[in-house]
Amino acid sequence: MNIVSTTPGGFHETDAVIIGAGPVGLFQVFELGLLEIKAHVIDSLAAVGGQCVELYPDKPIYDIPAIPSCTGQELTDGLLKQIEPFGPTFHLGQEVTVVQKREDGRFDVETSLGTKFITKTIFIAAGVGSFQPRTMKTEGIEAFEGSQVFYRVKDPAQFEGKNIVVCGGGDSALDWALNFVGKAESVVLLHRREDFRAAPASVAKMKQLCEDYEMQLIIGQVSGIETKDDKLSELRVTGADGVTRRVPLDMLLVFYGLSPKLGPIAEWGLDIERKQLKVVSTEKFETNVPGIFAVGDINTYPGKKKLILSGFHEAALAAFGAAPYIFPDKKIHMQYTTTSPKLHKVLGVESPVFD
Ligand SMILES: Cc1cc2nc3c(=O)[nH]c(=O)nc-3n(C[C@H](O)[C@H](O)[C@H](O)COP(=O)(O)OP(=O)(O)OC[C@H]3O[C@@H](n4cnc5c(N)ncnc54)[C@H](O)[C@@H]3O)c2cc1C
């Protein structure tokens, strides 16, 4: 599926907003689609797939019904294919910051990039929260965030011709360090230990480039910074030998991984228990605010299991629970995708002939 993410800052009036494009948010699109409810999907990450893609894209999952084994990325690709007929609109790279009930019973929703929605229903499929980069804790470093210190690369061109230091030992750190060799003036990879989480092929390539004097690897931790003319000019790096060395630089890229934060969800007037959203019943998975549903890892109820399969079930029931807000005068019946001509029409498939 070709994901079209809209330009930030627009305004959309809709029946359903899904917060979170993890596996459960994606399947929510499907279940709403069967009921002819179109959805907008928002995620703070730039890619869809939630934990499956962010934390274990290449690892196999063995407990998805009828799929004996698939990776996190393959599951996501399959879900995207499955929701294709319903043409959801994605708004990626933006966190939902505001959810507010309106006088007309609908909700105002707003993102960190200023995209605004008015919606009849909301499905919070926010997993363990929105993923934020882990920051470097060195004193004084925060003053240079956005000018010389970065936690993600938005514009690679700004690092070209510069002396850059890349911190971290995972795939992002290695991929960007390798990417900037030959483009930056110099590249130093700084990691706290000899072992790397990154793909072995990237580690081998990095070591070869170090042997060829194309880049440098330093094992150590940032213990302080030096500034000159209000600019970050050097890092103090303490090695395992206890010796502190000075590393001059123009730009610092830090990839210490992502950590989930419940973030703004805590401020939307929803019942929360140990960082999860309580649902009123397991009949609809609706929260204490009528019209707002919670599905997947973000919700809690007696017996909850944080499994993808549980989230899929919750998404089906939440869609039925939400339908009366969208079609108050319509009686909604459950139908089989195998036999219902109506569902075949919404899925865009031919009706099979049964003997
Ligand atoms: C290593 C590992 C292995 C696993 N293996 C299995 C397995 O084998 N089988 C299984 O069933 N489960 C497994 N799980 C658990 C499974 O990944 C989760 O149950 C599943 O991802 C939950 O899906 P979700 O859609 O509810 O949430 P998530 O996948 O967490 O997705 C939530 C999304 O919401 C976004 N978000 C949050 N807050 C906001 C906001 N305010 N604005 C915008 N976006 C927001 C996040 O960025 C994220 O992309 C595993 C988990 C891990 C970490």
Side-chain angles (χ1 to χ4, degrees), residues 168-189:
D171 284 315
S172 302
L174 269 282
D175 288 352
W176 280 115
L178 296 178
N179 174 78
F180 286 124
V181 170
K183 295 178 191 146
E185 177 67 20
S186 69
V187 177
V188 173
L189 178 67

PDB file of all heavy atoms in Angstrom, residues 168-189:
ATOM      1  N   GLY A 168      26.030   5.980  19.739  1.00  0.00           N
ATOM      2  CA  GLY A 168      25.097   4.856  19.800  1.00  0.00           C
ATOM      3  C   GLY A 168      25.674   3.630  19.131  1.00  0.00           C
ATOM      4  O   GLY A 168      26.673   3.707  18.407  1.00  0.00           O
ATOM      5  N   GLY A 169      25.032   2.476  19.387  1.00  0.00           N
ATOM      6  CA  GLY A 169      25.540   1.223  18.836  1.00  0.00           C
ATOM      7  C   GLY A 169      24.471   0.418  18.113  1.00  0.00           C
ATOM      8  O   GLY A 169      24.686  -0.737  17.775  1.00  0.00           O
ATOM      9  N   GLY A 170      23.316   1.049  17.864  1.00  0.00           N
ATOM     10  CA  GLY A 170      22.231   0.343  17.167  1.00  0.00           C
ATOM     11  C   GLY A 170      22.258   0.639  15.675  1.00  0.00           C
ATOM     12  O   GLY A 170      23.182   1.281  15.158  1.00  0.00           O
ATOM     13  N   ASP A 171      21.207   0.180  15.000  1.00  0.00           N
ATOM     14  CA  ASP A 171      21.156   0.344  13.545  1.00  0.00           C
ATOM     15  C   ASP A 171      21.135   1.806  13.111  1.00  0.00           C
ATOM     16  O   ASP A 171      21.804   2.172  12.140  1.00  0.00           O
ATOM     17  CB  ASP A 171      19.918  -0.375  12.977  1.00  0.00           C
ATOM     18  CG  ASP A 171      20.144  -1.880  12.930  1.00  0.00           C
ATOM     19  OD1 ASP A 171      21.234  -2.290  12.486  1.00  0.00           O
ATOM     20  OD2 ASP A 171      19.258  -2.628  13.352  1.00  0.00           O
ATOM     21  N   SER A 172      20.375   2.645  13.820  1.00  0.00           N
ATOM     22  CA  SER A 172      20.300   4.058  13.401  1.00  0.00           C
ATOM     23  C   SER A 172      21.675   4.695  13.457  1.00  0.00           C
ATOM     24  O   SER A 172      22.096   5.393  12.524  1.00  0.00           O
ATOM     25  CB  SER A 172      19.353   4.850  14.304  1.00  0.00           C
ATOM     26  OG  SER A 172      18.095   4.282  14.276  1.00  0.00           O
ATOM     27  N   ALA A 173      22.408   4.473  14.560  1.00  0.00           N
ATOM     28  CA  ALA A 173      23.737   5.077  14.715  1.00  0.00           C
ATOM     29  C   ALA A 173      24.678   4.605  13.607  1.00  0.00           C
ATOM     30  O   ALA A 173      25.346   5.400  12.945  1.00  0.00           O
ATOM     31  CB  ALA A 173      24.312   4.732  16.089  1.00  0.00           C
ATOM     32  N   LEU A 174      24.704   3.300  13.390  1.00  0.00           N
ATOM     33  CA  LEU A 174      25.622   2.748  12.375  1.00  0.00           C
ATOM     34  C   LEU A 174      25.218   3.204  10.976  1.00  0.00           C
ATOM     35  O   LEU A 174      26.062   3.618  10.178  1.00  0.00           O
ATOM     36  CB  LEU A 174      25.617   1.215  12.458  1.00  0.00           C
ATOM     37  CG  LEU A 174      26.640   0.515  13.362  1.00  0.00           C
ATOM     38  CD1 LEU A 174      28.008   0.462  12.715  1.00  0.00           C
ATOM     39  CD2 LEU A 174      26.748   1.145  14.743  1.00  0.00           C
ATOM     40  N   ASP A 175      23.919   3.132  10.677  1.00  0.00           N
ATOM     41  CA  ASP A 175      23.453   3.500   9.326  1.00  0.00           C
ATOM     42  C   ASP A 175      23.821   4.951   9.008  1.00  0.00           C
ATOM     43  O   ASP A 175      24.312   5.261   7.928  1.00  0.00           O
ATOM     44  CB  ASP A 175      21.929   3.330   9.195  1.00  0.00           C
ATOM     45  CG  ASP A 175      21.538   1.856   9.164  1.00  0.00           C
ATOM     46  OD1 ASP A 175      22.446   1.007   9.098  1.00  0.00           O
ATOM     47  OD2 ASP A 175      20.322   1.563   9.227  1.00  0.00           O
ATOM     48  N   TRP A 176      23.580   5.843   9.978  1.00  0.00           N
ATOM     49  CA  TRP A 176      23.872   7.257   9.679  1.00  0.00           C
ATOM     50  C   TRP A 176      25.377   7.514   9.642  1.00  0.00           C
ATOM     51  O   TRP A 176      25.855   8.280   8.795  1.00  0.00           O
ATOM     52  CB  TRP A 176      23.172   8.184  10.690  1.00  0.00           C
ATOM     53  CG  TRP A 176      21.725   8.380  10.335  1.00  0.00           C
ATOM     54  CD1 TRP A 176      20.646   7.974  11.066  1.00  0.00           C
ATOM     55  CD2 TRP A 176      21.190   8.978   9.143  1.00  0.00           C
ATOM     56  NE1 TRP A 176      19.480   8.286  10.418  1.00  0.00           N
ATOM     57  CE2 TRP A 176      19.773   8.918   9.239  1.00  0.00           C
ATOM     58  CE3 TRP A 176      21.752   9.574   8.020  1.00  0.00           C
ATOM     59  CZ2 TRP A 176      18.926   9.421   8.244  1.00  0.00           C
ATOM     60  CZ3 TRP A 176      20.901  10.077   7.018  1.00  0.00           C
ATOM     61  CH2 TRP A 176      19.514   9.997   7.137  1.00  0.00           C
ATOM     62  N   ALA A 177      26.133   6.872  10.541  1.00  0.00           N
ATOM     63  CA  ALA A 177      27.590   7.066  10.518  1.00  0.00           C
ATOM     64  C   ALA A 177      28.134   6.632   9.151  1.00  0.00           C
ATOM     65  O   ALA A 177      28.895   7.370   8.506  1.00  0.00           O
ATOM     66  CB  ALA A 177      28.241   6.266  11.641  1.00  0.00           C
ATOM     67  N   LEU A 178      27.710   5.456   8.678  1.00  0.00           N
ATOM     68  CA  LEU A 178      28.188   4.961   7.382  1.00  0.00           C
ATOM     69  C   LEU A 178      27.729   5.884   6.259  1.00  0.00           C
ATOM     70  O   LEU A 178      28.480   6.172   5.324  1.00  0.00           O
ATOM     71  CB  LEU A 178      27.663   3.541   7.124  1.00  0.00           C
ATOM     72  CG  LEU A 178      28.143   2.456   8.102  1.00  0.00           C
ATOM     73  CD1 LEU A 178      27.517   1.118   7.769  1.00  0.00           C
ATOM     74  CD2 LEU A 178      29.665   2.328   8.085  1.00  0.00           C
ATOM     75  N   ASN A 179      26.500   6.349   6.379  1.00  0.00           N
ATOM     76  CA  ASN A 179      25.952   7.230   5.342  1.00  0.00           C
ATOM     77  C   ASN A 179      26.774   8.515   5.181  1.00  0.00           C
ATOM     78  O   ASN A 179      26.944   9.012   4.069  1.00  0.00           O
ATOM     79  CB  ASN A 179      24.501   7.578   5.710  1.00  0.00           C
ATOM     80  CG  ASN A 179      23.896   8.600   4.761  1.00  0.00           C
ATOM     81  OD1 ASN A 179      23.497   8.253   3.656  1.00  0.00           O
ATOM     82  ND2 ASN A 179      23.860   9.864   5.172  1.00  0.00           N
ATOM     83  N   PHE A 180      27.290   9.037   6.296  1.00  0.00           N
ATOM     84  CA  PHE A 180      27.985  10.333   6.216  1.00  0.00           C
ATOM     85  C   PHE A 180      29.472  10.212   5.844  1.00  0.00           C
ATOM     86  O   PHE A 180      30.118  11.219   5.587  1.00  0.00           O
ATOM     87  CB  PHE A 180      27.826  11.120   7.520  1.00  0.00           C
ATOM     88  CG  PHE A 180      26.445  11.706   7.678  1.00  0.00           C
ATOM     89  CD1 PHE A 180      25.679  11.430   8.797  1.00  0.00           C
ATOM     90  CD2 PHE A 180      25.921  12.519   6.689  1.00  0.00           C
ATOM     91  CE1 PHE A 180      24.403  11.949   8.923  1.00  0.00           C
ATOM     92  CE2 PHE A 180      24.637  13.057   6.809  1.00  0.00           C
ATOM     93  CZ  PHE A 180      23.878  12.765   7.926  1.00  0.00           C
ATOM     94  N   VAL A 181      29.997   8.986   5.825  1.00  0.00           N
ATOM     95  CA  VAL A 181      31.406   8.820   5.412  1.00  0.00           C
ATOM     96  C   VAL A 181      31.531   9.273   3.954  1.00  0.00           C
ATOM     97  O   VAL A 181      30.757   8.850   3.093  1.00  0.00           O
ATOM     98  CB  VAL A 181      31.862   7.347   5.573  1.00  0.00           C
ATOM     99  CG1 VAL A 181      33.226   7.119   4.927  1.00  0.00           C
ATOM    100  CG2 VAL A 181      31.916   6.968   7.044  1.00  0.00           C
ATOM    101  N   GLY A 182      32.477  10.167   3.701  1.00  0.00           N
ATOM    102  CA  GLY A 182      32.657  10.681   2.334  1.00  0.00           C
ATOM    103  C   GLY A 182      31.854  11.940   2.068  1.00  0.00           C
ATOM    104  O   GLY A 182      32.145  12.689   1.150  1.00  0.00           O
ATOM    105  N   LYS A 183      30.816  12.170   2.888  1.00  0.00           N
ATOM    106  CA  LYS A 183      30.005  13.384   2.710  1.00  0.00           C
ATOM    107  C   LYS A 183      30.353  14.409   3.788  1.00  0.00           C
ATOM    108  O   LYS A 183      30.444  15.608   3.520  1.00  0.00           O
ATOM    109  CB  LYS A 183      28.512  13.056   2.805  1.00  0.00           C
ATOM    110  CG  LYS A 183      28.020  12.153   1.694  1.00  0.00           C
ATOM    111  CD  LYS A 183      26.548  11.833   1.877  1.00  0.00           C
ATOM    112  CE  LYS A 183      26.142  10.711   0.926  1.00  0.00           C
ATOM    113  NZ  LYS A 183      25.144   9.830   1.483  1.00  0.00           N
ATOM    114  N   ALA A 184      30.560  13.926   5.015  1.00  0.00           N
ATOM    115  CA  ALA A 184      30.961  14.823   6.104  1.00  0.00           C
ATOM    116  C   ALA A 184      32.480  15.023   6.030  1.00  0.00           C
ATOM    117  O   ALA A 184      33.190  14.227   5.418  1.00  0.00           O
ATOM    118  CB  ALA A 184      30.567  14.209   7.436  1.00  0.00           C
ATOM    119  N   GLU A 185      32.973  16.077   6.673  1.00  0.00           N
ATOM    120  CA  GLU A 185      34.422  16.305   6.719  1.00  0.00           C
ATOM    121  C   GLU A 185      35.102  15.152   7.485  1.00  0.00           C
ATOM    122  O   GLU A 185      36.131  14.633   7.068  1.00  0.00           O
ATOM    123  CB  GLU A 185      34.674  17.664   7.407  1.00  0.00           C
ATOM    124  CG  GLU A 185      36.122  18.049   7.604  1.00  0.00           C
ATOM    125  CD  GLU A 185      36.857  18.309   6.288  1.00  0.00           C
ATOM    126  OE1 GLU A 185      36.189  18.551   5.269  1.00  0.00           O
ATOM    127  OE2 GLU A 185      38.100  18.223   6.298  1.00  0.00           O
ATOM    128  N   SER A 186      34.500  14.787   8.629  1.00  0.00           N
ATOM    129  CA  SER A 186      35.003  13.632   9.380  1.00  0.00           C
ATOM    130  C   SER A 186      33.840  12.996  10.140  1.00  0.00           C
ATOM    131  O   SER A 186      32.861  13.676  10.473  1.00  0.00           O
ATOM    132  CB  SER A 186      36.094  14.061  10.375  1.00  0.00           C
ATOM    133  OG  SER A 186      35.509  14.829  11.399  1.00  0.00           O
ATOM    134  N   VAL A 187      33.955  11.678  10.368  1.00  0.00           N
ATOM    135  CA  VAL A 187      32.901  10.963  11.098  1.00  0.00           C
ATOM    136  C   VAL A 187      33.545  10.172  12.234  1.00  0.00           C
ATOM    137  O   VAL A 187      34.455   9.365  12.004  1.00  0.00           O
ATOM    138  CB  VAL A 187      32.131   9.977  10.181  1.00  0.00           C
ATOM    139  CG1 VAL A 187      31.082   9.204  10.986  1.00  0.00           C
ATOM    140  CG2 VAL A 187      31.475  10.706   9.020  1.00  0.00           C
ATOM    141  N   VAL A 188      33.058  10.430  13.454  1.00  0.00           N
ATOM    142  CA  VAL A 188      33.496   9.641  14.609  1.00  0.00           C
ATOM    143  C   VAL A 188      32.270   8.913  15.150  1.00  0.00           C
ATOM    144  O   VAL A 188      31.228   9.545  15.385  1.00  0.00           O
ATOM    145  CB  VAL A 188      34.086  10.551  15.722  1.00  0.00           C
ATOM    146  CG1 VAL A 188      34.386   9.732  16.974  1.00  0.00           C
ATOM    147  CG2 VAL A 188      35.324  11.269  15.238  1.00  0.00           C
ATOM    148  N   LEU A 189      32.374   7.597  15.299  1.00  0.00           N
ATOM    149  CA  LEU A 189      31.306   6.843  15.951  1.00  0.00           C
ATOM    150  C   LEU A 189      31.726   6.628  17.398  1.00  0.00           C
ATOM    151  O   LEU A 189      32.839   6.156  17.658  1.00  0.00           O
ATOM    152  CB  LEU A 189      31.090   5.496  15.249  1.00  0.00           C
ATOM    153  CG  LEU A 189      30.015   4.600  15.873  1.00  0.00           C
ATOM    154  CD1 LEU A 189      28.621   5.215  15.712  1.00  0.00           C
ATOM    155  CD2 LEU A 189      30.025   3.203  15.232  1.00  0.00           C
TER     156      LEU A 189
END
